[in-house]
Amino acid sequence: MSQSIERLKTLISEVLQDKVSDLTLALGELTLTVSGRDYFAVAQVLRDDSRFAFEQLLDLCGVDYSEYKDGAPSQYSDKPRFASVVHLLSLEHNVRLRLRAFALDDEMPILASLCPLWSSASWFEREAFDMYGIIFEGHDDLRRILTDYGFVGHPFRKDFPLSGHVEMRYDAEQSRVIYQPVTIEPREITPRIVREEHYGSTH
């Protein structure tokens, strides 16, 4: 196990104290979990405190933990549904950290934007908003980035229908793109040979 990771774990516990909801070291990676209310303040300390010096935000994504509430074994079964997960890098100390923050309200998940700290968060937060519906307060251009402006819902949520709500196509007669109810028929995608009743039998 890297000594720098061990030192980082100890330092986080000492500096952030009660702001730490969970601090897990597994597979050589350190994950710090905080409440949504402490998200921005913790991120600012991680960037500005020279003992941490996380100059770079490498990635940010949304997570929907809703299925963990349905009996799946997890230490997150009693947590809120939505979280933002951030990967940070300190070039000065040659160490990485995963920061996770849970939005407090499942119906309206809101977290502070990290754009004032790392400009690289901008498009990542737009993606998390588009795919999961997580609202990042303070983001100056929070709009969809992958789906169309008229898209209904957030496709990475666990309760989003596999075939979506509407489909879009170009109508030559109207010379424009139109929306209509989904007409896709669900189909069997298991390979035929696996579906055969006696596949693999010896007689």
Side-chain angles (χ1 to χ4, degrees), residues 54-196:
F54 285 102
E55 309 101 322
Q56 291 190 12
L57 184 148
L58 302 175
D59 188 26
L60 181 152
C61 65
V63 182
D64 179 355
Y65 285 97
S66 60
E67 288 187 357
Y68 288 96
K69 299 181 185 298
D70 299 329
S74 170
Q75 66 268 40
Y76 303 111
S77 59
D78 61 341
K79 300 286 187 185
R81 175 177 175 179
F82 296 102
S84 172
V85 177
V86 181
H87 288 212
L88 301 174
L89 170 66
S90 171
L91 295 171
E92 181 176 343
H93 302 298
N94 190 28
V95 69
R96 295 171 185 255
L97 175 68
R98 181 184 297 115
L99 171 64
R100 172 175 32 222
F102 283 93
L104 301 179
D105 186 350
D106 290 351
E107 297 301 315
M108 182 67 72
I110 300 174
L111 290 167
S113 172
L114 297 185
C115 290
L117 301 177
W118 297 282
S119 59
S120 60
S122 180
W123 280 28
F124 293 131
E125 289 181 349
R126 283 182 59 187
E127 181 183 36
F129 164 70
D130 194 358
M131 298 292 106
Y132 293 94
I134 300 172
I135 298 170
F136 292 91
E137 281 190 325
H139 193 294
D140 61 3
D141 190 23
L142 194 62
R143 55 192 167 94
R144 292 187 182 273
I145 191 171
L146 296 174
T147 61
D148 187 71
Y149 298 120
F151 192 87
V152 177
H154 304 282
F156 279 7
R157 288 190 174 192
K158 299 289 177 65
D159 54 7
F160 189 82
L162 294 179
S163 60
H165 296 285
V166 296
E167 61 187 23
M168 179 179 66
R169 67 177 178 85
Y170 180 77
D171 188 291
E173 293 181 3
Q174 300 182 48
S175 298
R176 66 181 183 90
V177 171
I178 64 169
Y179 293 89
Q180 62 190 39
V182 170
T183 58
I184 301 170
E185 292 294 327
R187 62 186 179 92
E188 176 63 64
I189 59 173
T190 307
R192 181 184 61 80
I193 193 168
V194 176
R195 297 198 305 271
E196 291 179 353

Side-chain angles (χ1 to χ4, degrees), residues 12-13 16-23 32-34 38 42:
I12 287 174
S13 297
L16 298 178
Q17 298 182 3
D18 60 345
K19 288 184 171 61
V20 176
S21 297
D22 185 61
L23 188 58
L32 166 62
T33 303
V34 300
D38 297 321
V42 166

